[in-house]
């Protein structure tokens, strides 16, 4: 099956009792048993498994080309579950530009866990390899990153992690499997904030892990079952419904993204534009190699360099909504330093290039003329 068919049919079958084409929202916690320990069907208790969640998990495995998908109550719950594979003394090497909540999880929640986190520029493969030792158990990469659109070369990193027998996980939230398939490029695990493009309608908080190896997927399912960060049936239904139009939406996000980038690149008030589709973007070559297109996420800074200009601009947008999050059908604008990345200490943030005049746009699927007119009036 090709990808555009998989998003609709991958892992799916009609409901056996009624023939319903979409799985019903099985809003149930438990399932009848015929005799103690002998459930009537395949299910016992919804923390372990629920048919609506199962349908979503099978769809997730299908679209990412993995052996098993797991759906969580949020993206961070998915990442937290993955970290439970490791024990005190184990070391994790992470890219130095991460989603703020992931950074907070690694550096604050797991501070006293005995796990050791290293943060490194994953494009400096020598610096990365210098950190590897016998305790290294996981490499964690986000590509493209949020909000500066840095990339990491998934295939090049996978070659190294394979050699050292280290697990390699990729946060594929920004790219989605429509644009990039980390498991095909050699990664072991894909993580998603399904809150973003997979759900696609800004109506649900959800997360996912897709695992290439069946045994590791089963181990992670046990951890998910034992800790309980599962996704509810209604939310599972919403994400599954979202996935069915993923290919259409992301295609339009990309088209609109290109046009917004062209507009910003030619605008006198704009200084830098961060978008992997730009030929002078430092990671354009990697983007072309591992992504089908360049997505709908765009960041930019102001010529004035003034944070006040970014704030004034964000107070003026009308079609774009000033809000956290991304990846929904509606266009959103965000001030990383004061919003999504406020949890990162100021010195770390500034050193990483997240300046006060940086604005991040999640370009939606509205009519491009309305989006450009909105940006223009906000600049004025
Ligand atoms: C939003 C986001 C997360 C966290 O996901 P939640 O669903 O908010 O828990 C992780 N990584 C990236 C890249 C994100 O954008």
């Amino acid at each position: 099956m090709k990808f555009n068919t998989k998003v609709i049919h991958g892992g799916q079958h009609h409901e056996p009792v009624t023939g319903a084409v979409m799985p019903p929202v099985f809003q149930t916690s438990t399932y009848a048993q015929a005799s103690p320990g002998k459930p009537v069907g395949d299910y016992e208790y919804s923390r372990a498994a629920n048919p609506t969640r199962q349908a979503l998990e099978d769809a997730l495995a299908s679209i990412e080309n993995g052996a098993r998908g797991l759906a969580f109550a949020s993206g961070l719950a998915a990442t937290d579950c993955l970290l439970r594979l490791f024990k005190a003394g184990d070391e994790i090497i992470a890219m130095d530009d991460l989603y703020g909540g992931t950074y907070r999880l690694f550096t604050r929640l797991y501070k006293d866990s005995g796990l050791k986190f290293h943060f490194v520029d994953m494009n400096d493969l020598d610096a990365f390899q210098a950190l590897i030792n016998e305790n290294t158990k996981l490499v964690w990469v986000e590509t493209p990153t949020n909000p500066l659109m840095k990339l990491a070369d998934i295939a090049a990193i996978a070659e190294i992690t394979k050699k050292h027998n280290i697990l390699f996980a990729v946060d594929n939230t920004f790219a989605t499997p429509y644009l990039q398939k980390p498991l095909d490029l050699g990664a072991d695990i894909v993580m998603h904030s399904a809150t973003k493009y997979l759900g696609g309608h800004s109506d649900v908080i959800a997360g996912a892990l897709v695992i290439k190896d069946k045994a590791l997927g089963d181990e992670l399912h046990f951890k998910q079952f034992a800790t309980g960060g599962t996704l509810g049936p209604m939310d599972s239904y919403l994400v599954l419904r979202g996935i069915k139009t993923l290919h259409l939406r992301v295609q339009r996000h990309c088209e609109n993204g290109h046009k917004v980038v062209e507009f910003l690149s030619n605008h006198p008030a704009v200084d830098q534009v961060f978008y992997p589709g730009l030929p002078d973007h430092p990671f354009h070559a990697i983007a072309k190699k591992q992504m089908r297109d360049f997505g709908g996420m765009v960041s930019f800074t102001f010529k004035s360099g003034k944070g006040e200009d970014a704030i004034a601009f964000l107070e003026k947008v009308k079609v774009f909504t000033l809000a956290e999050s991304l990846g929904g059908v509606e266009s959103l604008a965000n001030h990383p330093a004061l919003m999504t990345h406020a949890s990162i200490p100021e010195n770390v943030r500034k050193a990483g290039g997240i300046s006060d005049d940086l604005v991040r746009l999640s370009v939606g699927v509205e009519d491009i003329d309305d989006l450009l007119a909105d940006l223009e009036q906000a600049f004025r």
Side-chain angles (χ1 to χ4, degrees):
M1 249 190 254
K2 299 249 176 125
F3 184 81
N4 293 354
T5 310
K6 278 187 177 179
V7 293
I8 296 165
H9 297 291
Q12 305 303 299
H13 44 75
H14 61 256
E15 197 276 321
V17 176
T18 61
V21 168
M22 273 302 275
V25 180
F26 281 93
Q27 199 72 51
T28 187
S29 58
T30 191
Y31 306 81
Q33 307 203 0
S35 166
K38 298 214 163 56
V40 172
D42 296 336
Y43 297 88
E44 288 173 39
Y45 187 61
S46 282
R47 175 156 37 71
N50 169 284
T52 317
R53 189 167 85 238
Q54 189 67 53
L56 168 62
E57 291 179 334
D58 292 345
L60 290 164
S62 170
I63 61 176
E64 286 283 9
N65 297 337
R68 184 148 194 183
L70 297 171
F72 291 84
S74 71
L76 287 177
T79 305
D80 183 60
C81 184
L82 174 62
L83 291 177
R84 287 174 190 274
L85 287 173
F86 310 107
K87 59 176 194 319
D90 287 349
E91 300 188 17
I92 292 163
I93 302 175
M95 184 141 159
D96 62 354
D97 188 17
L98 292 182
Y99 173 72
T102 305
Y103 184 79
R104 179 177 54 211
L105 185 68
F106 288 180
T107 57
R108 285 173 60 186
L109 270 287
Y110 278 82
K111 191 156 96 44
D112 302 318
S113 65
L115 297 185
K116 189 165 174 193
F117 291 88
H118 302 272
F119 297 93
V120 67
D121 177 356
M122 279 290 171
N123 287 287
D124 185 344
L125 292 178
D126 292 334
F128 159 47
Q129 290 186 86
L131 290 170
I132 294 175
N133 63 51
E134 67 208 0
N135 297 322
T136 309
K137 294 289 152 63
L138 175 73
V139 169
W140 178 274
V141 159
E142 196 178 312
T143 181
T145 65
N146 177 10
L148 292 172
M149 314 297 153
K150 289 192 197 161
L151 269 69
D153 187 332
I154 297 173
I157 294 168
E159 205 175 298
I160 295 165
T161 54
K162 282 213 163 59
K163 202 166 69 195
H164 295 273
N165 216 7
I166 301 167
L167 284 176
F168 178 22
V170 175
D171 180 338
N172 204 28
T173 300
F174 265 43
T176 84
Y178 178 78
L179 298 177
Q180 167 175 287
K181 294 197 183 58
L183 300 185
D184 290 357
L185 294 166
D188 301 295
I189 300 158
V190 162
M191 174 266 165
H192 274 280
S193 171
T195 311
K196 316 295 168 51
Y197 287 103
L198 294 188
H201 295 75
S202 306
D203 53 7
V204 63
I205 297 283
L209 294 177
V210 183
I211 306 96
K212 185 150 69 183
D213 177 65
K214 172 78 167 57
L216 182 62
D218 293 348
E219 189 180 345
L220 280 162
H221 173 258
F222 173 74
K223 299 207 185 283
Q224 181 196 40
F225 159 70
T227 53
T230 54
L231 192 64
M234 185 66 208
D235 289 347
S236 296
Y237 173 85
L238 287 171
V239 176
L240 183 62
R241 174 158 137 152
I243 286 174
K244 287 176 191 275
T245 55
L246 180 69
H247 55 315
L248 303 173
R249 289 184 286 107
V250 177
Q251 196 181 341
R252 181 61 64 83
H253 283 295
C254 291
E255 276 171 37
N256 283 354
H258 294 175
K259 290 185 181 137
V260 165
V261 165
E262 191 188 316
F263 168 84
L264 292 171
S265 302
N266 292 313
H267 200 282
V270 172
D271 186 22
Q272 273 185 289
V273 180
F274 301 89
Y275 188 67
L278 285 170
D280 62 351
H281 185 279
F283 302 109
H284 183 62
I286 299 177
K288 275 212 320 219
K289 189 173 78 157
Q290 68 189 20
M291 296 174 73
R292 187 208 297 224
D293 200 334
F294 309 108
M297 297 302 300
V298 185
S299 298
F300 68 93
T301 55
F302 284 77
K303 273 251 163 65
S304 67
K306 286 193 183 137
E308 304 93 273
D309 284 352
I311 291 167
F313 173 89
L314 289 165
E315 287 170 352
K316 291 280 172 355
V317 288
K318 294 195 184 88
V319 181
F320 280 81
T321 302
L322 176 59
E324 304 220 358
S325 201
L326 61 107
V329 287
E330 59 287 287
S331 292
L332 300 179
N334 164 56
H335 190 273
L338 292 176
M339 294 166 66
T340 43
H341 290 63
S343 57
I344 296 177
E346 188 176 347
N347 57 334
V348 178
R349 198 167 68 220
K350 291 229 157 103
I354 302 175
S355 55
D356 292 341
D357 66 329
L358 182 74
V359 166
R360 186 191 79 187
L361 302 177
S362 172
V363 180
V365 299
E366 299 95 334
D367 193 287
I368 188 63
D369 293 345
D370 292 324
L371 295 182
L372 297 183
D374 188 38
L375 296 175
E376 182 54 45
Q377 66 79 26
F379 277 122
R380 255 190 267 127

